[in-house]
Amino acid sequence: MSVINDTLKALELRGGRGALPKAVKVPASQSGRRPLPRVALLLAVLLVAVAWAWWPTVARLLANAPVEPVVEAHEVAVEQVAEVHQAAVESVAEVTETVLADDAHSEASPAAPAVAVVPVTPPQPEPPTEPMAEPVAQVMPAPEHKPEAKPEPEPEPKPEAKSEAKPQLAIQQSPLSPAEQARQLWQQAQQADNPEPMLEQALALDPHLHPARLALIERLSQRGEGDDLLLSAARDYPQQAAYPVLAAELALAAGDNTLAEQWLSWSQRLVPEPDWRARRAVVAQQLGWLELASEDYLALLNAEPMRGTWWFGLGYARDAGRDLNGAETAYRKALASTDLSQQAREFVRDRLTVLENR
């Protein structure tokens, strides 16, 4: 404001409000041309002063004014305002230069009064404040680009460790029932060199397959290991005559006739299968139980009347029991059969010769 006051005082002095020095004479030709540029300079200076005084208020109004959500339009408006301010500054600078040039020309002239002219620096327009762009950024938020989640690679399946296949007699799935599979194993075991594993698997499938268990006991008895299995089988299946008959055979083979008779007495209350009945008849004949032996052979002959072996056994039991007529009849039936061995035939002929000549 001090610059404006100094300028006004200088203008008052030039306008005739003060007394001019008497030694200075103003030419008549220049007095008519000077007032117009000075008035223009005064108006320009006043405009610049007003703009300088009101610029903070205008800037606050512009900052508080609603901003359209278009970034490009705001930038164009800011550029236009800057261009207007720049043009105003340039025009004020030109006017100031013109006034200074005229003043310098007047000072150089002898008739011009010596007046000190202070150069006026026009106010520089403040650049637009950055907070004006903040609402725009709030209206149009930049889209966030989230990195796409990359699918994790699936773990490759680890190769399974190959286990060495051990030979096992595992039973494969079959449409046959467990009892039928056990019987097949029992049949295969009869032809195998080492039938024990097959017999054990057959019994695991069908515990009631007694022929397989009896065969396994006989195999184990050859090594002296079948006693426990035989006792447990006779205890678990007391109606099976084959187990006490086998026990009597093993005891008789071991020379224990007392134990053999105990087992034979146990089996006497039971009805064994045909094969085991024939074996019991032999054990009974060796132990002197001739009546039991004769009963077993007669039962076998009822089922197979043409079997020479049964006739031979019956004749031998009767011969040992002093039933000579019954023994002779049985011997002749045995010779008439076709399944008698050659050794048994020779024995029968010799006995018939003795019985005929008695």
Side-chain angles (χ1 to χ4, degrees):
M1 297 300 291
S2 61
V3 175
I4 297 173
N5 295 329
D6 295 340
T7 305
L8 292 176
K9 290 179 180 180
L11 291 176
E12 290 178 357
L13 293 175
R14 289 185 182 184
R17 295 181 182 180
L20 295 175
K22 297 179 178 181
V24 179
K25 295 181 179 181
V26 179
S29 59
Q30 295 180 357
S31 61
R33 293 187 293 109
R34 292 295 179 90
L36 182 59
R38 292 175 180 175
V39 173
L41 176 61
L42 178 61
L43 292 176
V45 171
L46 290 174
L47 289 174
V48 171
V50 171
W52 178 269
W54 284 90
W55 175 250
T57 304
V58 174
R60 284 194 300 272
L61 293 175
L62 291 176
N64 296 328
V67 182
E68 297 182 359
V70 180
V71 179
E72 291 79 0
H74 174 71
E75 293 177 355
V76 172
V78 173
E79 291 178 357
Q80 292 178 356
V81 172
E83 291 178 357
V84 170
H85 287 294
Q86 185 66 24
V89 172
E90 292 178 357
S91 61
V92 172
E94 291 178 357
V95 173
T96 305
E97 291 177 359
T98 304
V99 173
L100 293 176
D102 293 340
D103 292 339
H105 181 72
S106 61
E107 290 176 358
S109 174
V115 180
V117 179
V118 179
V120 179
T121 303
Q124 298 294 331
E126 295 181 0
T129 57
E130 294 182 357
M132 296 176 63
E134 293 181 358
V136 178
Q138 296 177 359
V139 174
M140 299 180 64
E144 298 180 359
H145 296 282
K146 297 182 179 180
E148 298 181 357
K150 297 183 179 179
E152 297 181 358
E154 297 181 357
E156 298 181 356
K158 297 181 180 180
E160 298 181 356
K162 296 182 179 179
S163 58
E164 297 181 357
K166 297 181 179 180
Q168 296 181 355
L169 295 173
I171 300 174
Q172 298 179 355
Q173 294 182 356
S174 173
L176 301 177
S177 63
E180 292 174 345
Q181 296 180 35
R183 189 164 294 277
Q184 283 187 354
L185 288 172
W186 156 239
Q187 294 175 356
Q188 295 175 6
Q190 295 177 11
Q191 307 297 328
D193 296 334
N194 184 20
E196 292 183 11
M198 293 183 180
L199 294 174
E200 292 176 353
Q201 291 184 13
L203 292 172
L205 291 171
D206 184 10
H208 298 281
L209 189 59
H210 301 292
R213 184 177 288 105
L214 291 167
L216 181 60
I217 292 173
E218 289 181 341
R219 295 279 304 183
L220 295 176
S221 298
Q222 295 176 2
R223 305 195 301 265
E225 301 175 358
D227 294 343
D228 295 337
L229 182 59
L230 179 58
L231 290 173
S232 62
R235 187 184 305 109
D236 296 338
Y237 305 99
Q239 300 301 322
Q240 294 292 326
Y243 295 114
V245 171
L246 178 58
E249 286 182 350
L250 295 175
L252 185 60
D256 193 348
N257 293 349
T258 303
L259 182 59
E261 288 179 356
Q262 291 176 358
W263 284 111
L264 187 61
S265 176
W266 183 351
S267 68
Q268 190 176 4
R269 305 188 305 267
L270 305 174
V271 179
E273 297 293 331
D275 293 344
W276 288 97
R277 185 183 283 271
R279 295 174 67 167
R280 186 176 71 173
V282 173
V283 173
Q285 189 175 0
Q286 292 178 356
L287 290 174
W289 294 33
L290 300 177
E291 185 177 356
L292 179 59
S294 298
E295 291 177 359
D296 287 339
Y297 283 126
L298 288 173
L300 293 171
L301 287 171
N302 289 332
E304 297 176 317
M306 301 304 297
R307 184 74 176 269
T309 305
W310 308 148
W311 284 113
F312 173 74
L314 179 60
Y316 187 83
R318 287 177 177 179
D319 192 4
R322 309 305 296 173
D323 185 5
L324 300 180
N325 292 329
E328 184 178 357
T329 303
Y331 285 147
R332 291 185 184 278
K333 292 285 187 180
L335 285 175
S337 66
T338 59
D339 61 332
L340 196 63
S341 65
Q342 186 63 31
Q343 185 178 1
R345 283 179 180 278
E346 293 178 358
F347 179 82
V348 168
R349 288 192 184 100
D350 294 340
R351 288 305 298 168
L352 282 175
T353 302
V354 173
L355 290 175
E356 288 175 356
N357 296 326
R358 70 179 184 273

PDB file of all heavy atoms in Angstrom, residues 306-309 312-313 330-353:
ATOM      1  N   MET A 306     -19.532-156.959  -1.996  1.00  0.00           N
ATOM      2  CA  MET A 306     -18.568-157.615  -2.876  1.00  0.00           C
ATOM      3  C   MET A 306     -17.134-157.169  -2.597  1.00  0.00           C
ATOM      4  O   MET A 306     -16.229-157.511  -3.358  1.00  0.00           O
ATOM      5  CB  MET A 306     -18.914-157.327  -4.333  1.00  0.00           C
ATOM      6  CG  MET A 306     -20.309-157.797  -4.744  1.00  0.00           C
ATOM      7  SD  MET A 306     -20.574-159.565  -4.438  1.00  0.00           S
ATOM      8  CE  MET A 306     -19.376-160.299  -5.519  1.00  0.00           C
ATOM      9  N   ARG A 307     -16.920-156.525  -1.538  1.00  0.00           N
ATOM     10  CA  ARG A 307     -15.576-156.023  -1.224  1.00  0.00           C
ATOM     11  C   ARG A 307     -14.802-157.147  -0.551  1.00  0.00           C
ATOM     12  O   ARG A 307     -15.124-157.614   0.553  1.00  0.00           O
ATOM     13  CB  ARG A 307     -15.684-154.806  -0.294  1.00  0.00           C
ATOM     14  CG  ARG A 307     -14.348-154.138   0.033  1.00  0.00           C
ATOM     15  CD  ARG A 307     -13.837-153.337  -1.165  1.00  0.00           C
ATOM     16  NE  ARG A 307     -12.620-152.622  -0.854  1.00  0.00           N
ATOM     17  CZ  ARG A 307     -12.548-151.396  -0.399  1.00  0.00           C
ATOM     18  NH1 ARG A 307     -13.683-150.728  -0.185  1.00  0.00           N
ATOM     19  NH2 ARG A 307     -11.401-150.834  -0.176  1.00  0.00           N
ATOM     20  N   GLY A 308     -13.749-157.645  -1.238  1.00  0.00           N
ATOM     21  CA  GLY A 308     -12.956-158.772  -0.732  1.00  0.00           C
ATOM     22  C   GLY A 308     -12.182-158.437   0.526  1.00  0.00           C
ATOM     23  O   GLY A 308     -11.934-159.279   1.387  1.00  0.00           O
ATOM     24  N   THR A 309     -11.760-157.187   0.658  1.00  0.00           N
ATOM     25  CA  THR A 309     -10.989-156.782   1.835  1.00  0.00           C
ATOM     26  C   THR A 309     -11.819-156.948   3.103  1.00  0.00           C
ATOM     27  O   THR A 309     -11.314-157.410   4.137  1.00  0.00           O
ATOM     28  CB  THR A 309     -10.511-155.336   1.681  1.00  0.00           C
ATOM     29  OG1 THR A 309      -9.777-155.202   0.457  1.00  0.00           O
ATOM     30  CG2 THR A 309      -9.643-154.924   2.846  1.00  0.00           C
ATOM     31  N   PHE A 312     -12.142-160.634   3.939  1.00  0.00           N
ATOM     32  CA  PHE A 312     -10.893-161.119   4.521  1.00  0.00           C
ATOM     33  C   PHE A 312     -10.772-160.708   5.984  1.00  0.00           C
ATOM     34  O   PHE A 312     -10.361-161.503   6.850  1.00  0.00           O
ATOM     35  CB  PHE A 312      -9.699-160.616   3.720  1.00  0.00           C
ATOM     36  CG  PHE A 312      -8.390-160.935   4.330  1.00  0.00           C
ATOM     37  CD1 PHE A 312      -7.882-162.234   4.296  1.00  0.00           C
ATOM     38  CD2 PHE A 312      -7.638-159.942   4.975  1.00  0.00           C
ATOM     39  CE1 PHE A 312      -6.648-162.535   4.878  1.00  0.00           C
ATOM     40  CE2 PHE A 312      -6.406-160.254   5.542  1.00  0.00           C
ATOM     41  CZ  PHE A 312      -5.916-161.541   5.509  1.00  0.00           C
ATOM     42  N   GLY A 313     -11.088-159.447   6.311  1.00  0.00           N
ATOM     43  CA  GLY A 313     -11.011-158.982   7.694  1.00  0.00           C
ATOM     44  C   GLY A 313     -12.002-159.706   8.581  1.00  0.00           C
ATOM     45  O   GLY A 313     -11.672-160.036   9.741  1.00  0.00           O
ATOM     46  N   ALA A 330     -16.146-166.848   5.350  1.00  0.00           N
ATOM     47  CA  ALA A 330     -15.644-165.513   5.004  1.00  0.00           C
ATOM     48  C   ALA A 330     -14.426-165.601   4.095  1.00  0.00           C
ATOM     49  O   ALA A 330     -14.261-164.798   3.160  1.00  0.00           O
ATOM     50  CB  ALA A 330     -15.305-164.770   6.281  1.00  0.00           C
ATOM     51  N   TYR A 331     -13.534-166.615   4.340  1.00  0.00           N
ATOM     52  CA  TYR A 331     -12.361-166.754   3.480  1.00  0.00           C
ATOM     53  C   TYR A 331     -12.750-167.092   2.048  1.00  0.00           C
ATOM     54  O   TYR A 331     -12.152-166.577   1.085  1.00  0.00           O
ATOM     55  CB  TYR A 331     -11.447-167.826   4.039  1.00  0.00           C
ATOM     56  CG  TYR A 331     -10.664-167.362   5.273  1.00  0.00           C
ATOM     57  CD1 TYR A 331     -10.351-168.291   6.270  1.00  0.00           C
ATOM     58  CD2 TYR A 331     -10.209-166.061   5.414  1.00  0.00           C
ATOM     59  CE1 TYR A 331      -9.632-167.906   7.396  1.00  0.00           C
ATOM     60  CE2 TYR A 331      -9.505-165.692   6.531  1.00  0.00           C
ATOM     61  CZ  TYR A 331      -9.213-166.592   7.508  1.00  0.00           C
ATOM     62  OH  TYR A 331      -8.508-166.201   8.622  1.00  0.00           O
ATOM     63  N   ARG A 332     -13.733-167.959   1.868  1.00  0.00           N
ATOM     64  CA  ARG A 332     -14.141-168.322   0.512  1.00  0.00           C
ATOM     65  C   ARG A 332     -14.745-167.120  -0.219  1.00  0.00           C
ATOM     66  O   ARG A 332     -14.545-166.965  -1.430  1.00  0.00           O
ATOM     67  CB  ARG A 332     -15.148-169.455   0.575  1.00  0.00           C
ATOM     68  CG  ARG A 332     -14.526-170.773   1.056  1.00  0.00           C
ATOM     69  CD  ARG A 332     -15.512-171.904   0.996  1.00  0.00           C
ATOM     70  NE  ARG A 332     -14.913-173.122   1.539  1.00  0.00           N
ATOM     71  CZ  ARG A 332     -14.106-173.941   0.859  1.00  0.00           C
ATOM     72  NH1 ARG A 332     -13.768-173.665  -0.372  1.00  0.00           N
ATOM     73  NH2 ARG A 332     -13.644-175.058   1.451  1.00  0.00           N
ATOM     74  N   LYS A 333     -15.488-166.267   0.492  1.00  0.00           N
ATOM     75  CA  LYS A 333     -16.024-165.053  -0.127  1.00  0.00           C
ATOM     76  C   LYS A 333     -14.897-164.111  -0.558  1.00  0.00           C
ATOM     77  O   LYS A 333     -14.978-163.461  -1.602  1.00  0.00           O
ATOM     78  CB  LYS A 333     -16.937-164.327   0.868  1.00  0.00           C
ATOM     79  CG  LYS A 333     -18.236-165.073   1.205  1.00  0.00           C
ATOM     80  CD  LYS A 333     -19.220-164.970   0.055  1.00  0.00           C
ATOM     81  CE  LYS A 333     -20.573-165.575   0.472  1.00  0.00           C
ATOM     82  NZ  LYS A 333     -21.564-165.494  -0.622  1.00  0.00           N
ATOM     83  N   ALA A 334     -13.847-164.078   0.253  1.00  0.00           N
ATOM     84  CA  ALA A 334     -12.731-163.186  -0.081  1.00  0.00           C
ATOM     85  C   ALA A 334     -12.028-163.648  -1.343  1.00  0.00           C
ATOM     86  O   ALA A 334     -11.628-162.812  -2.186  1.00  0.00           O
ATOM     87  CB  ALA A 334     -11.758-163.128   1.081  1.00  0.00           C
ATOM     88  N   LEU A 335     -11.818-165.008  -1.511  1.00  0.00           N
ATOM     89  CA  LEU A 335     -11.172-165.510  -2.716  1.00  0.00           C
ATOM     90  C   LEU A 335     -12.017-165.261  -3.959  1.00  0.00           C
ATOM     91  O   LEU A 335     -11.486-165.092  -5.062  1.00  0.00           O
ATOM     92  CB  LEU A 335     -10.897-166.997  -2.578  1.00  0.00           C
ATOM     93  CG  LEU A 335      -9.732-167.381  -1.656  1.00  0.00           C
ATOM     94  CD1 LEU A 335      -9.643-168.911  -1.510  1.00  0.00           C
ATOM     95  CD2 LEU A 335      -8.428-166.820  -2.201  1.00  0.00           C
ATOM     96  N   ALA A 336     -13.344-165.216  -3.815  1.00  0.00           N
ATOM     97  CA  ALA A 336     -14.214-164.983  -4.964  1.00  0.00           C
ATOM     98  C   ALA A 336     -14.208-163.529  -5.423  1.00  0.00           C
ATOM     99  O   ALA A 336     -14.636-163.214  -6.538  1.00  0.00           O
ATOM    100  CB  ALA A 336     -15.624-165.412  -4.613  1.00  0.00           C
ATOM    101  N   SER A 337     -13.688-162.614  -4.607  1.00  0.00           N
ATOM    102  CA  SER A 337     -13.651-161.188  -4.988  1.00  0.00           C
ATOM    103  C   SER A 337     -12.459-160.924  -5.898  1.00  0.00           C
ATOM    104  O   SER A 337     -11.558-161.756  -6.047  1.00  0.00           O
ATOM    105  CB  SER A 337     -13.575-160.316  -3.745  1.00  0.00           C
ATOM    106  OG  SER A 337     -12.358-160.526  -3.080  1.00  0.00           O
ATOM    107  N   THR A 338     -12.452-159.742  -6.467  1.00  0.00           N
ATOM    108  CA  THR A 338     -11.383-159.374  -7.408  1.00  0.00           C
ATOM    109  C   THR A 338     -10.442-158.304  -6.861  1.00  0.00           C
ATOM    110  O   THR A 338      -9.468-157.947  -7.521  1.00  0.00           O
ATOM    111  CB  THR A 338     -12.008-158.841  -8.710  1.00  0.00           C
ATOM    112  OG1 THR A 338     -12.830-157.703  -8.412  1.00  0.00           O
ATOM    113  CG2 THR A 338     -12.857-159.913  -9.375  1.00  0.00           C
ATOM    114  N   ASP A 339     -10.714-157.757  -5.701  1.00  0.00           N
ATOM    115  CA  ASP A 339      -9.899-156.653  -5.179  1.00  0.00           C
ATOM    116  C   ASP A 339      -8.932-157.115  -4.099  1.00  0.00           C
ATOM    117  O   ASP A 339      -8.282-156.285  -3.461  1.00  0.00           O
ATOM    118  CB  ASP A 339     -10.790-155.543  -4.623  1.00  0.00           C
ATOM    119  CG  ASP A 339     -11.658-156.036  -3.483  1.00  0.00           C
ATOM    120  OD1 ASP A 339     -12.001-157.226  -3.439  1.00  0.00           O
ATOM    121  OD2 ASP A 339     -11.994-155.200  -2.608  1.00  0.00           O
ATOM    122  N   LEU A 340      -8.808-158.414  -3.862  1.00  0.00           N
ATOM    123  CA  LEU A 340      -7.931-158.915  -2.808  1.00  0.00           C
ATOM    124  C   LEU A 340      -6.498-158.949  -3.323  1.00  0.00           C
ATOM    125  O   LEU A 340      -6.225-159.353  -4.452  1.00  0.00           O
ATOM    126  CB  LEU A 340      -8.373-160.312  -2.363  1.00  0.00           C
ATOM    127  CG  LEU A 340      -7.812-160.823  -1.030  1.00  0.00           C
ATOM    128  CD1 LEU A 340      -8.268-159.938   0.109  1.00  0.00           C
ATOM    129  CD2 LEU A 340      -8.244-162.269  -0.813  1.00  0.00           C
ATOM    130  N   SER A 341      -5.575-158.549  -2.522  1.00  0.00           N
ATOM    131  CA  SER A 341      -4.169-158.534  -2.920  1.00  0.00           C
ATOM    132  C   SER A 341      -3.617-159.964  -3.016  1.00  0.00           C
ATOM    133  O   SER A 341      -4.185-160.914  -2.453  1.00  0.00           O
ATOM    134  CB  SER A 341      -3.350-157.709  -1.930  1.00  0.00           C
ATOM    135  OG  SER A 341      -3.364-158.331  -0.665  1.00  0.00           O
ATOM    136  N   GLN A 342      -2.476-160.132  -3.677  1.00  0.00           N
ATOM    137  CA  GLN A 342      -1.886-161.453  -3.870  1.00  0.00           C
ATOM    138  C   GLN A 342      -1.405-162.031  -2.546  1.00  0.00           C
ATOM    139  O   GLN A 342      -1.580-163.236  -2.289  1.00  0.00           O
ATOM    140  CB  GLN A 342      -0.712-161.342  -4.852  1.00  0.00           C
ATOM    141  CG  GLN A 342      -0.108-162.670  -5.229  1.00  0.00           C
ATOM    142  CD  GLN A 342      -1.095-163.573  -5.961  1.00  0.00           C
ATOM    143  OE1 GLN A 342      -1.981-163.095  -6.688  1.00  0.00           O
ATOM    144  NE2 GLN A 342      -0.960-164.891  -5.787  1.00  0.00           N
ATOM    145  N   GLN A 343      -0.839-161.257  -1.698  1.00  0.00           N
ATOM    146  CA  GLN A 343      -0.372-161.740  -0.404  1.00  0.00           C
ATOM    147  C   GLN A 343      -1.538-162.217   0.458  1.00  0.00           C
ATOM    148  O   GLN A 343      -1.452-163.253   1.133  1.00  0.00           O
ATOM    149  CB  GLN A 343       0.407-160.641   0.311  1.00  0.00           C
ATOM    150  CG  GLN A 343       1.038-161.062   1.630  1.00  0.00           C
ATOM    151  CD  GLN A 343       1.834-159.936   2.272  1.00  0.00           C
ATOM    152  OE1 GLN A 343       1.895-158.830   1.739  1.00  0.00           O
ATOM    153  NE2 GLN A 343       2.453-160.239   3.415  1.00  0.00           N
ATOM    154  N   ALA A 344      -2.658-161.437   0.409  1.00  0.00           N
ATOM    155  CA  ALA A 344      -3.833-161.838   1.180  1.00  0.00           C
ATOM    156  C   ALA A 344      -4.427-163.124   0.600  1.00  0.00           C
ATOM    157  O   ALA A 344      -4.911-163.998   1.352  1.00  0.00           O
ATOM    158  CB  ALA A 344      -4.855-160.727   1.168  1.00  0.00           C
ATOM    159  N   ARG A 345      -4.366-163.322  -0.693  1.00  0.00           N
ATOM    160  CA  ARG A 345      -4.892-164.530  -1.314  1.00  0.00           C
ATOM    161  C   ARG A 345      -4.093-165.762  -0.840  1.00  0.00           C
ATOM    162  O   ARG A 345      -4.651-166.820  -0.541  1.00  0.00           O
ATOM    163  CB  ARG A 345      -4.830-164.430  -2.839  1.00  0.00           C
ATOM    164  CG  ARG A 345      -5.933-163.535  -3.421  1.00  0.00           C
ATOM    165  CD  ARG A 345      -5.825-163.449  -4.934  1.00  0.00           C
ATOM    166  NE  ARG A 345      -6.873-162.603  -5.467  1.00  0.00           N
ATOM    167  CZ  ARG A 345      -8.119-163.009  -5.703  1.00  0.00           C
ATOM    168  NH1 ARG A 345      -8.462-164.261  -5.462  1.00  0.00           N
ATOM    169  NH2 ARG A 345      -9.014-162.170  -6.186  1.00  0.00           N
ATOM    170  N   GLU A 346      -2.788-165.682  -0.787  1.00  0.00           N
ATOM    171  CA  GLU A 346      -1.964-166.809  -0.335  1.00  0.00           C
ATOM    172  C   GLU A 346      -2.280-167.170   1.114  1.00  0.00           C
ATOM    173  O   GLU A 346      -2.356-168.358   1.483  1.00  0.00           O
ATOM    174  CB  GLU A 346      -0.493-166.460  -0.497  1.00  0.00           C
ATOM    175  CG  GLU A 346      -0.067-166.314  -1.952  1.00  0.00           C
ATOM    176  CD  GLU A 346       1.383-165.928  -2.091  1.00  0.00           C
ATOM    177  OE1 GLU A 346       2.026-165.737  -1.012  1.00  0.00           O
ATOM    178  OE2 GLU A 346       1.877-165.795  -3.219  1.00  0.00           O
ATOM    179  N   PHE A 347      -2.440-166.120   1.930  1.00  0.00           N
ATOM    180  CA  PHE A 347      -2.784-166.386   3.331  1.00  0.00           C
ATOM    181  C   PHE A 347      -4.150-167.081   3.436  1.00  0.00           C
ATOM    182  O   PHE A 347      -4.335-168.028   4.227  1.00  0.00           O
ATOM    183  CB  PHE A 347      -2.794-165.083   4.128  1.00  0.00           C
ATOM    184  CG  PHE A 347      -3.159-165.248   5.555  1.00  0.00           C
ATOM    185  CD1 PHE A 347      -2.217-165.646   6.496  1.00  0.00           C
ATOM    186  CD2 PHE A 347      -4.477-165.036   5.990  1.00  0.00           C
ATOM    187  CE1 PHE A 347      -2.556-165.813   7.829  1.00  0.00           C
ATOM    188  CE2 PHE A 347      -4.812-165.212   7.321  1.00  0.00           C
ATOM    189  CZ  PHE A 347      -3.857-165.587   8.252  1.00  0.00           C
ATOM    190  N   VAL A 348      -5.124-166.661   2.653  1.00  0.00           N
ATOM    191  CA  VAL A 348      -6.467-167.250   2.684  1.00  0.00           C
ATOM    192  C   VAL A 348      -6.419-168.701   2.221  1.00  0.00           C
ATOM    193  O   VAL A 348      -7.083-169.593   2.814  1.00  0.00           O
ATOM    194  CB  VAL A 348      -7.437-166.416   1.830  1.00  0.00           C
ATOM    195  CG1 VAL A 348      -8.757-167.190   1.626  1.00  0.00           C
ATOM    196  CG2 VAL A 348      -7.684-165.078   2.472  1.00  0.00           C
ATOM    197  N   ARG A 349      -5.652-169.050   1.175  1.00  0.00           N
ATOM    198  CA  ARG A 349      -5.564-170.426   0.697  1.00  0.00           C
ATOM    199  C   ARG A 349      -4.968-171.342   1.784  1.00  0.00           C
ATOM    200  O   ARG A 349      -5.445-172.477   1.997  1.00  0.00           O
ATOM    201  CB  ARG A 349      -4.721-170.489  -0.576  1.00  0.00           C
ATOM    202  CG  ARG A 349      -5.406-169.895  -1.808  1.00  0.00           C
ATOM    203  CD  ARG A 349      -4.633-170.253  -3.051  1.00  0.00           C
ATOM    204  NE  ARG A 349      -5.213-169.623  -4.234  1.00  0.00           N
ATOM    205  CZ  ARG A 349      -4.737-168.522  -4.800  1.00  0.00           C
ATOM    206  NH1 ARG A 349      -3.682-167.919  -4.278  1.00  0.00           N
ATOM    207  NH2 ARG A 349      -5.327-168.046  -5.878  1.00  0.00           N
ATOM    208  N   ASP A 350      -3.924-170.848   2.412  1.00  0.00           N
ATOM    209  CA  ASP A 350      -3.291-171.639   3.463  1.00  0.00           C
ATOM    210  C   ASP A 350      -4.273-171.902   4.609  1.00  0.00           C
ATOM    211  O   ASP A 350      -4.370-173.041   5.121  1.00  0.00           O
ATOM    212  CB  ASP A 350      -2.036-170.973   3.984  1.00  0.00           C
ATOM    213  CG  ASP A 350      -0.945-170.897   2.943  1.00  0.00           C
ATOM    214  OD1 ASP A 350      -1.001-171.679   1.971  1.00  0.00           O
ATOM    215  OD2 ASP A 350      -0.039-170.024   3.094  1.00  0.00           O
ATOM    216  N   ARG A 351      -5.018-170.889   5.014  1.00  0.00           N
ATOM    217  CA  ARG A 351      -5.960-171.075   6.099  1.00  0.00           C
ATOM    218  C   ARG A 351      -7.131-171.989   5.694  1.00  0.00           C
ATOM    219  O   ARG A 351      -7.608-172.784   6.506  1.00  0.00           O
ATOM    220  CB  ARG A 351      -6.504-169.711   6.577  1.00  0.00           C
ATOM    221  CG  ARG A 351      -5.494-168.889   7.335  1.00  0.00           C
ATOM    222  CD  ARG A 351      -4.911-169.632   8.512  1.00  0.00           C
ATOM    223  NE  ARG A 351      -5.985-169.958   9.491  1.00  0.00           N
ATOM    224  CZ  ARG A 351      -5.810-170.795  10.499  1.00  0.00           C
ATOM    225  NH1 ARG A 351      -4.634-171.428  10.659  1.00  0.00           N
ATOM    226  NH2 ARG A 351      -6.806-171.042  11.351  1.00  0.00           N
ATOM    227  N   LEU A 352      -7.571-171.937   4.464  1.00  0.00           N
ATOM    228  CA  LEU A 352      -8.652-172.794   4.014  1.00  0.00           C
ATOM    229  C   LEU A 352      -8.183-174.263   3.993  1.00  0.00           C
ATOM    230  O   LEU A 352      -8.949-175.203   4.328  1.00  0.00           O
ATOM    231  CB  LEU A 352      -9.132-172.380   2.610  1.00  0.00           C
ATOM    232  CG  LEU A 352     -10.037-171.146   2.578  1.00  0.00           C
ATOM    233  CD1 LEU A 352     -10.348-170.775   1.127  1.00  0.00           C
ATOM    234  CD2 LEU A 352     -11.336-171.392   3.325  1.00  0.00           C
ATOM    235  N   THR A 353      -6.951-174.492   3.595  1.00  0.00           N
ATOM    236  CA  THR A 353      -6.409-175.869   3.576  1.00  0.00           C
ATOM    237  C   THR A 353      -6.414-176.442   4.988  1.00  0.00           C
ATOM    238  O   THR A 353      -6.780-177.607   5.218  1.00  0.00           O
ATOM    239  CB  THR A 353      -4.995-175.869   2.979  1.00  0.00           C
ATOM    240  OG1 THR A 353      -5.018-175.328   1.676  1.00  0.00           O
ATOM    241  CG2 THR A 353      -4.429-177.270   2.981  1.00  0.00           C
TER     242      THR A 353
END
